[in-house]
Amino acid sequence: MKRRHALLVIGGDAPRRHALPTIGTVDVVICADSGFDHALALDLTPHVVIGDMDSIVDIDRARAHGSHVVEAHPDKDFTDTELALAHALADGATELTVLWGGGDRFDHVLGVLAALAAPDLARLDRLTAWVGDDRMHIVHGGRRVQFTIEAGRTVSLVPLAGSAHGVTTSGLRWALDDATLEGSRARGVSNVSVADIVSVSVDSGCVSVVLPAPSNDSTILEK
């Protein structure tokens, strides 16, 4: 299958510009509602804008810009982020990066995490999310992620949507070998990289591999 990398920009606080060099080549930029305004501020070209349009500054500007606008009814069962994720899959994405600045609505944070754990996303070869200065690799069952990182960095493994089974790691101080991370426990929080290559695989369930930005420097060293 041909590689197709989708970048999803969502609303809330403005994403960090320093995340852009780590994202690589993008085939399509999909914006959830006011993510359109963030994309323009980052000098990105929004190809698709989707959502109920309750927070975008000017929907006519998106149309004038040439973006494909998919307007949803406000009384819907899915968040704008979920609609954008579904659109990316239907559009043939094989890799997906979510770019989000975060925000002051904790319910939105939980909603985005729930959306990223959706089983349909397991078909993606790679799923990465930026939340403010922090980066997450989302590893669904049957998938493995490997990345380079500076030794001594904090790496947290947090299961999403219940427990994750068959979790195996390398390159971390406290290694896991076919382990279970319970959804009601914080066992995987605050591990530490001891090598410049870290890998995490999951047999079933979903794990977020969180790489917090260094507290003394927001420059992200992970590639």
Side-chain angles (χ1 to χ4, degrees):
M1 179 184 294
K2 184 179 179 181
R3 173 188 180 273
R4 183 168 175 80
H5 184 193
L7 175 63
L8 171 55
V9 186
I10 59 180
D13 290 348
R16 310 298 193 263
R17 182 175 289 274
H18 66 244
L20 295 178
T22 73
I23 292 174
T25 303
V26 172
D27 298 292
V28 60
V29 177
I30 303 171
C31 303
D33 209 323
S34 59
F36 170 81
D37 302 306
H38 294 326
L40 289 186
L42 293 172
D43 302 315
L44 297 170
T45 300
H47 299 100
V48 179
V49 183
I50 188 168
D52 57 15
M53 310 305 166
D54 66 340
S55 60
I56 190 171
V57 172
D58 185 356
I59 187 59
D60 290 331
R61 186 184 183 195
R63 294 190 175 96
H65 199 273
S67 303
H68 174 53
V69 176
V70 182
E71 193 164 358
H73 194 281
D75 296 332
K76 60 188 190 303
D77 292 329
F78 302 97
T79 66
D80 292 340
T81 298
E82 288 176 306
L83 294 176
L85 289 169
H87 183 93
L89 290 179
D91 188 52
T94 60
E95 301 178 19
L96 178 64
T97 300
V98 176
L99 188 57
W100 184 34
D104 58 1
R105 288 279 301 272
F106 190 63
D107 55 339
H108 285 176
V109 174
L110 293 176
V112 170
L113 293 177
L116 294 177
D120 284 352
L121 299 179
R123 75 179 75 168
L124 294 168
D125 294 332
R126 181 175 61 85
L127 176 56
T128 306
W130 280 91
V131 181
D133 289 322
D134 299 341
R135 189 174 188 177
M136 293 190 300
H137 295 287
I138 309 298
V139 189
H140 285 264
R143 292 292 181 180
R144 173 177 176 267
V145 66
Q146 179 175 292
F147 51 90
T148 58
I149 187 172
E150 184 183 52
R153 286 279 305 278
T154 298
V155 179
S156 291
L157 277 64
V158 181
L160 301 177
S163 300
H165 305 278
V167 182
T168 299
T169 68
S170 66
L172 296 178
R173 179 178 179 184
W174 294 284
L176 299 175
D177 183 13
D178 196 26
T180 294
L181 293 180
E182 302 288 349
S184 58
R185 296 185 61 191
R187 177 186 177 189
V189 171
S190 294
N191 212 320
V192 180
S193 59
V194 293
D196 57 4
I197 296 179
V198 171
S199 70
V200 179
S201 62
V202 179
D203 286 347
S204 64
C206 182
V207 171
S208 60
V209 182
V210 184
L211 301 125
S215 59
N216 60 343
D217 186 356
S218 63
T219 302
I220 305 300
L221 300 177
E222 188 249 328
K223 300 178 180 177

